[in-house]
Every structure is written in C-alpha cells, then in structure tokens.
Amino acid sequence: MRGAAAVPLTGMLTAVEPGRIAYAANTTAVDAATVQQLGMVSAAYRRGYQQIPAPALLNSARSHFQLLASLRPERQTGEVRKGLLSQMGQMAALAGAVAFLDLGAREDGKGYTATGLELAKASGDQDLYALCWAGRAFQTAYEGDREGGVDCALAAVDHAKNASARIRAWCAAAASEMHASISDEKGCRGFLDDARQHIAAPQDDDRWRGIGWFDAAKLDAYEGGDLVRLGNHEKALARLDTALEHLDPSMRRHRATAHADRADAYTTAGHPEAAIDDAHAALALLEQVHHDETLRRITAVHARLRPLRLPGTRSLTEHLTDVRHSMETACRTALAWNSCAPPKRQQEPVFPSWRGR
C-alpha cells in the first residue's frame, strides 16, 4: 500500500495502490454474503488484539485492508459499499492502535487512525467513527497534549451517542482516563459512572466495532488506572485487584496494563516487593504480545525502584532489558518494507491518505 495516491472521498476510492491484484480491475459486484463473511474475518482480527503478537496482527490488518480495497467499494452500491468501507476503516483503526501503542511507530499509527476516520465518514458507521476519535484521544494524550486528549475523547463520547452500548461504555471509560490525566477527578468520576450504566445496559454486540474487548472487568482496570493518575493509590490497589481477578486470561494486553498500573500504585504506597512482582508479571505478558506504552510505564516504575537497591531490582533490570530488546527487534522486523522502529522519524503511512485533494 506504500506510495498509494491520495484519494478524494467524493470519488469513493477511485484509485487504490498500484499493486492491486490483477483481476480486481474486472470486479463489478460483490454479494452481501461475501461482505458478511469478510466481516467475520475483520471481527476476528479486532478481537484478536487481546492476545495476538503486534507484528503479526499489523501484517494481518494491512493485508485484509488490501483485500477489501481490491473489491472496489466505489463500484458497489448500498449496504455492500458501506460494509466494505466500514471494514476497511476497522482495519485502519486496528493498525493505528497496534502501530502507535504496541510498536511505538507513532507517525504510522496516527496516519492509520486518520484513514480510519475518513472511512468512517464515508461508510456512515457511527461506532467506527467514535472508535477512531477515542483512538486519537490516546495518541494525542500519550504524545504530551493531555488537554487535546480530553477534547478528542469528548468528541468520541459525542459521536458514540448513536453507537452500540459497549462502544458508548468504552468511549466513556476512555474519557475518564483523559480527565484523570489532567487531575479532573469530578469529570473522571462522571464518565466512569456513565461507562458503568452503558456496560450494564442490554448489549447489541453485532454492532461492536471495538478493538479487543471491553467489559465490566476492563472497566474496573480503567478505574484503577484512573485512581493511580489521581494519586489515590490505596483505592487503586483494591480496584486493580478486582480487575485482575476477573479479567479473562486471553486479555493479555489488558492484563499487562493492569499489572503495570498496580506496580505503579504499589511503588507509591511503599510496597516495593509487590511492585517488582507486578512489573515482572507485566513484562512476561509483553513478551507475548508487545505493548510499547505499557513498557514505558514499567520503565518508569523501575526507575523509581532502582534507588532502593532491593535484591529483586537487579532481576527486574535484566527482565526489562531483555523485553525491551525483544520488542525493538520485533518492531524493526515487523515488515521489511515498512520498518516501524524509529518513532521520532517522520514516516510515510502504509495506508494511503484518503483525504480529498
């Protein structure tokens, strides 16, 4: 997909990458059953975010995007066209999360998410539109613009008003984290309450466009992380204990994040040995799935523990060094034609830009 021409949405994807498979030029009609079957694949990749290693998942998302594009959505009509565009946007959103959060390829990640937003507009998929705005909130906040992250999260909540119940719950949880990051406890608490109302409501998961999964246990993990950011570490520990007790074992990235948050809370609360245990648990999960943002959090915890010169600190240093090297190597070799290693260098997104000329 590299080097693809910019495409005006008004032309509904009138040009896609030069390497399109040969028979695509003759493609005319796609039946609804095919779109439904492809949607099952798209959903499997999105749900697979829970436990599939980041390099493999990024490869899969990009390949599936290319397959969907080869079916020429601009030549289709009605629900078939919308379905193909929506699934392309889902893969762009997935690639944005994997590239930015898991592999540290921030420019690529932002480019993929921008593509997802454009395709969400084109397809009219409100769940996807809300998802992409929430993804942009994390990207903006994690690059240092926390107020900007709040703005993006509020946009996600606004666009999720007509989305599925689970997406509304997740967007509210994302907004709670953004408010916690600016020490707005009242705003954080309000969105946590909203998220609990939505997750307790009847679910319509046939509309779920989210990445991975979101349930009451993951909401507990969000609340625990929020409490860490707000400095309420004793309550954070209790909430994170509950989250880790109930998070499904398949939710490896989610569990790694919860362990990292609990390690942070234990460090501040004066329980360094417990913090070291949680840091090791998080790193063991990162070896399986990769997650650059969680690695950053563990690195910060390690820096605070190191001056204590505890016996366990040395083993944590070795474990952290090994995992960091493993993740950097996986990132560099994710795709030979699209290295994602240097996050500070401007890189051309692998997905084309779908903005109008």
Side-chain angles (χ1 to χ4, degrees):
M1 299 178 197
R2 294 192 76 169
V7 178
L9 279 174
T10 54
M12 282 302 168
L13 316 182
T14 55
V16 186
E17 73 291 343
R20 179 191 304 283
I21 50 181
Y23 63 76
N26 298 318
T27 301
T28 53
V30 177
D31 59 67
T34 298
V35 176
Q36 183 179 20
Q37 291 163 355
L38 289 168
M40 294 171 65
V41 177
S42 300
Y45 286 146
R46 289 188 287 102
R47 189 68 179 262
Y49 182 76
Q50 294 175 196
Q51 57 185 322
I52 296 177
L57 191 56
L58 183 60
N59 280 350
S60 299
R62 291 189 297 206
S63 296
H64 196 51
F65 180 101
Q66 190 173 23
L67 171 63
L68 293 162
S70 78
L71 298 177
R72 303 297 290 270
E74 74 278 8
R75 294 188 178 185
Q76 312 306 323
T77 59
E79 293 304 312
V80 168
R81 176 176 59 81
K82 291 180 180 179
L84 292 173
L85 291 173
S86 171
Q87 290 184 49
M88 289 173 68
Q90 293 168 39
M91 293 302 97
L94 175 59
V98 173
F100 190 101
L101 296 175
D102 298 317
L103 295 174
R106 295 192 166 187
E107 293 305 315
D108 277 0
K110 290 186 292 184
Y112 297 151
T113 301
T115 298
L117 279 166
E118 293 296 324
L119 288 164
K121 291 179 186 178
S123 64
D125 190 330
Q126 286 300 113
D127 281 54
L128 176 60
Y129 203 51
L131 168 71
C132 290
W133 271 109
R136 180 171 279 182
F138 288 111
Q139 292 171 353
T140 302
Y142 291 168
E143 286 200 319
D145 184 2
R146 296 178 180 177
E147 292 287 352
V150 171
D151 291 340
C152 291
L154 293 177
V157 170
D158 187 50
H159 289 296
K161 289 179 180 178
N162 296 317
S164 64
R166 202 175 297 275
I167 281 287
R168 294 199 302 272
W170 179 69
C171 288
S176 78
E177 179 176 321
M178 296 300 108
H179 282 79
S181 71
I182 61 170
S183 301
D184 180 359
E185 184 171 359
K186 181 179 179 180
C188 172
R189 177 54 58 187
F191 279 110
L192 284 172
D193 291 343
D194 289 346
R196 293 206 179 277
Q197 290 180 8
H198 293 315
I199 206 65
Q203 300 299 304
D204 44 356
D205 287 338
D206 57 317
R207 297 176 58 193
W208 168 252
R209 299 290 184 265
I211 296 169
W213 192 238
F214 185 82
D215 55 17
K218 180 55 183 170
L219 180 54
D220 285 337
Y222 265 99
E223 183 173 359
D226 291 345
L227 290 168
V228 172
R229 291 172 176 83
L230 292 168
N232 196 336
H233 295 92
E234 292 297 335
K235 288 185 178 179
L237 287 170
R239 184 57 67 187
L240 289 165
D241 287 345
T242 300
L244 285 164
E245 181 180 352
H246 294 100
L247 278 170
D248 191 273
S250 68
M251 298 175 74
R252 295 174 188 172
R253 282 181 176 82
H254 306 77
R255 294 185 66 84
T257 300
H259 277 296
D261 283 334
R262 195 168 69 175
D264 189 346
Y266 272 135
T267 301
T268 303
H271 305 290
E273 292 86 358
I276 290 172
D277 289 342
D278 263 321
H280 278 298
L283 290 171
L285 291 165
L286 295 185
E287 289 177 300
Q288 302 172 47
V289 296
H290 309 98
H291 196 272
D292 186 74
E293 180 58 27
T294 299
L295 182 67
R296 183 194 64 77
R297 295 179 190 176
I298 294 298
T299 301
V301 168
H302 173 258
R304 292 162 58 197
L305 291 170
R306 180 184 286 166
L308 301 179
R309 304 296 180 186
L310 297 172
T313 306
R314 182 169 181 177
S315 65
L316 180 59
T317 300
E318 294 175 358
H319 197 179
L320 178 60
T321 301
D322 288 344
V323 173
R324 182 184 294 115
H325 174 72
S326 173
M327 288 177 57
E328 289 174 350
T329 301
C331 183
R332 284 195 302 268
T333 59
L335 283 178
W337 44 272
N338 182 49
S339 173
C340 56
K344 294 182 180 179
R345 177 169 58 86
Q346 294 291 324
Q347 299 183 36
E348 179 185 357
V350 175
F351 287 123
S353 168
W354 302 100
R355 299 186 186 91
R357 290 188 179 92

